[in-house]
Amino acid sequence: MVVREEMVVRNHCGVHARVATGLAAIAEADNVEIEIVFGGRTADCRNILDVLSLSLVRGSHVEVLVRGPEATRALAAVRELLTGTEING
Amino acid sequence: MVDQESNRKVDTDLEAKLSCEEPQIIFGIGASPGIVIAPARVFRRRTGSVAWRRLTPDRIDNEIRRFREAVTTAEQELRQLRSSLADDLSDALSIIDSHLLMLKDRMILDRTVEIIRSHHINAQWALATALGLVKKKFDAIDDPYIKQRYMDVKHVADRIFGVLSGRADEILSDDRAKVIVIGHDFSPEDILHMRADTVLGFITEEGGITSHTAIVARSLGIPAIVGAKDITCICGSGDRVILDGFSGRVCLHPTPDQLNQYREYDRQHRCSSRDLARYADLSSETLDGHRVRLAGNIEMPAEIAAIQHHGGEGVGLFRSEFDFFSRSSLPDEEMLAHIYGKMVAALAPKPVTIRTLDVGGDKFSNRLPHTGPRLDLERNPALGLRSIRYSLREPALFIRQLRALLRASVHGRLRILLPMISSPSEVLAVKAICAQAARELERETIPYDDRVEVGIMIEVPSAVILADSLATEVDFFSIGTNDLIQYSLAIDRGNQYVAHMYEPLHPAVLRMIKQTVDAGHQQGIEVAMCGEMAGDPMCAAVLLGLGLDELSMRPSAIPHVRRLLRGSRYQELAALGNRILGCRDVDEIHQYLGRYLPRHYPEEFCHP
């Protein structure tokens, strides 16, 4: 199963190390492949350095693609992580 | 020929003078609060010479195996460290998790293997090449916070280098003496190892307060200073050092007076942190009922929580630059109004003071209009196009911020603070722009508070001299001591040869503060202080005595100053202020305070 969704990054400091680590953890936990597309570039969330070097800041519009049997659940987790209202994020 | 030689001789003499054991003060950035006094252990940066070795084809598989094993060993070390940590160190745990991912990231692991195989070279050289490619990628990142994560990648690679070259973990020495460790840079894991050890604190040349190393130091409560330029060259192992993690000050070869002073601070901080917590909830009032506002300095909205935790009575200084520097594009008015409004509402009815854009000097971004090329041309940026001068030159950007501020003013008590005002005409120019922004909002029927307070920073000597005129134009003053001291004493405190002359308690500085307070009070406006000096307990008593209405500081310093305030009588503070104003030089002031403070505040300043 493949699901995709566009979202706007809301983390105050952008997608920094902790958020990027969280993305990898979701991929691992749900055994799915998560890709983030931004500015014509795609990063696989298992590669933390690729994700960091997308340089996603608060307000970046991204497209998220999730592949795998638990894709829907994983996508919801990604949405929560990137667009949640956590103040320190 | 002769001239050259004598020049060289002068140079050597100068070097000798500077390197002998004279007391010296080095300024870094306080990254984790606390004061410690101990001998230094200096780790000089290993000259980064990685050996280059060409491999015969039959050695390649072996080298790849050696590299993979090193990565596995590094991984085991990190996992072992992780499992030794308590669950409540969640920041540290998540940092180690990110390092584990970096360790096995394909840009490090696969690429190094690929380079060994295709170039027939040794693992260290291949890893250094792979790291160089990662650096190139991170150099292209605009966002300062994410860009800084390259340091994490480097720490991870250093760990692999360490395993490959069979280097023991030097910092984990079995030395029994308590020390302050000093190095070019430490990884978060280095710091986590230190805690069980005999390390009282650490100082680095690299890093900022948002580095992971600083975050870990704070969560462990290890006092730390980062960004202390050249400290590994200036300081040697065994040198006695005072580390003041509150102010970011390092005293090298301290004088007996400095030692006594800081031992007193140390005692005060260490014996009292439990007792201090209750001061978060008490009012900021002297024994005879004189009230002073103790507020916090912050640069990110999330730090509002720290102000609330420490019982701050408002924000005395919000540095608004972060929102301009940390995004893919300049923030729009909507976003700024939202961020400011939330902060103001969170603390209402307490005041939230937001300083307008203070760029220039060492702070600029290539996303801001025109700063790049112009700053390149500036020979003396501290005296150049910065701060309010920049805002007045870029009115479109300035109006955007002012409109956002005005819109946020309906959510509570917002105060607008204008930085680096040097003459009344600048205030008038800003007021005109502000009035224009207000008219626009009215036309668009967007609500704002028309009584919003506008104040100015007093941080240039001319503003002190004209304080009486300026006071008729604004609603409050806020004294920025860091710049005021630099501009009035003509000291660049980043310059190691003159930094020791940077002196907050200089009589000239104290008289300027007094003059500003008097001029403000004559016009019936509040005078605040938001420089580092305001959070230094040694200065606080004097400042309170000079009649300041608000002291704004790092949130964690608030309970310290509040306890001191609550143990004082205002009459006595005022008498102290007058007495200090009568002192002719800095030494006299230090001597007087050295006697006065322990006598009047035995709980704060005496040894057990």
Side-chain angles (χ1 to χ4, degrees), chain A residues 11-88:
Chain A
N11 314 86
H12 194 77
C13 297
V15 176
H16 54 89
R18 185 153 51 79
V19 178
T21 306
L23 290 169
I26 296 170
E28 168 88 26
D30 285 339
N31 195 20
V32 291
E33 196 175 302
I34 306 174
E35 285 180 353
I36 297 189
V37 186
F38 176 70
R41 291 188 296 157
T42 302
D44 182 328
C45 286
R46 277 170 305 189
N47 303 322
I48 186 172
L49 297 182
D50 284 339
V51 174
L52 286 177
S53 50
L54 285 181
S55 187
L56 301 175
V57 295
R58 188 182 164 102
S60 298
H61 289 253
V62 299
E63 188 184 8
V64 178
L65 251 95
V66 188
R67 270 186 213 94
E70 296 292 348
T72 316
R73 187 171 74 185
L75 183 68
V78 171
R79 189 188 309 119
E80 173 65 27
L81 185 60
L82 295 183
T83 68
T85 49
E86 169 198 30
I87 192 159
N88 288 311

Side-chain angles (χ1 to χ4, degrees), chain B residues 56-309:
Chain B
T56 50
D58 58 306
R59 300 275 311 278
I60 287 171
D61 282 342
N62 229 341
E63 188 69 358
I64 291 174
R65 197 173 316 122
R66 192 172 79 91
F67 173 68
R68 287 193 189 278
E69 278 169 10
V71 172
T72 307
T73 306
E75 188 185 356
Q76 281 163 355
E77 286 173 5
L78 288 178
R79 288 200 189 281
Q80 199 181 354
L81 177 63
R82 193 186 190 288
S83 64
S84 73
L85 299 176
D87 287 340
D88 60 340
L89 285 172
S90 63
D91 283 341
L93 293 174
S94 109
I95 290 167
I96 297 179
D97 286 341
S98 71
H99 288 188
L100 281 164
L101 286 168
M102 289 174 187
L103 192 61
K104 309 198 77 172
D105 192 279
R106 62 195 180 100
M107 283 196 222
I108 296 291
L109 186 64
D110 298 354
R111 193 174 270 159
T112 303
V113 169
E114 206 177 289
I115 295 171
I116 297 173
R117 200 182 293 287
S118 59
H119 290 72
H120 299 197
I121 52 168
N122 58 320
Q124 279 101 321
W125 190 271
L127 176 58
T129 311
L131 185 62
L133 293 169
V134 174
K135 177 156 195 313
K136 233 168 143 182
K137 209 151 184 175
F138 274 73
D139 280 345
I141 293 177
D142 235 353
D143 180 74
Y145 195 78
I146 297 175
K147 196 191 197 81
Q148 207 185 34
R149 299 285 83 91
Y150 171 72
M151 290 313 292
D152 290 85
V153 187
K154 192 167 173 308
H155 290 147
V156 167
D158 280 344
R159 180 168 292 274
I160 309 177
F161 279 125
V163 179
L164 283 172
S165 57
R167 190 161 54 222
D169 210 338
E170 288 171 316
I171 292 163
L172 272 178
S173 73
D174 52 4
D175 212 337
R176 286 294 151 94
K178 293 194 184 309
V179 291
I180 291 172
V181 298
I182 298 181
H184 179 68
D185 189 22
F186 296 117
S187 71
E189 287 85 2
D190 289 336
I191 307 307
L192 288 163
H193 275 300
M194 285 177 189
R195 70 189 182 125
D197 225 339
T198 47
V199 173
L200 297 183
F202 70 88
I203 307 172
T204 67
E205 298 179 330
E206 286 282 327
I209 55 172
T210 54
S211 71
H212 280 156
T213 303
I215 290 171
V216 168
R218 283 196 291 276
S219 54
L220 295 176
I222 298 180
I225 292 176
V226 297
K229 264 199 310 188
D230 301 326
I231 184 124
T232 61
C233 310
I234 303 167
C235 185
S237 282
D239 287 353
R240 186 177 247 189
V241 168
I242 300 175
L243 181 167
D244 177 358
F246 291 95
S247 69
R249 202 171 306 198
V250 183
C251 305
L252 178 59
H253 308 304
T255 63
D257 276 356
Q258 283 173 328
L259 280 171
N260 282 334
Q261 191 188 106
Y262 276 96
R263 281 198 188 111
E264 283 154 13
Y265 285 174
D266 176 38
R267 198 196 84 83
Q268 172 200 0
H269 292 307
R270 276 147 51 99
C271 300
S272 59
S273 53
R274 241 174 300 128
D275 175 42
L276 269 177
R278 70 191 181 91
Y279 282 87
D281 302 322
L282 298 174
S283 65
S284 304
E285 192 172 5
T286 60
L287 294 166
D288 48 353
H290 176 79
R291 296 190 67 113
V292 176
R293 187 185 307 117
L294 301 182
N297 296 344
I298 59 173
E299 45 199 305
M300 304 228 285
E303 290 175 280
I304 291 271
I307 292 190
Q308 287 166 326
H309 175 75

Side-chain angles (χ1 to χ4, degrees), chain B residues 304 314-315 318 343-344 347 350-354 413-415:
Chain B
I304 291 271
V315 175
F318 174 71
M343 289 171 58
V344 171
L347 283 184
K350 296 169 185 155
V352 171
T353 313
I354 299 181
R413 184 171 171 200
L414 170 74
R415 307 200 299 177

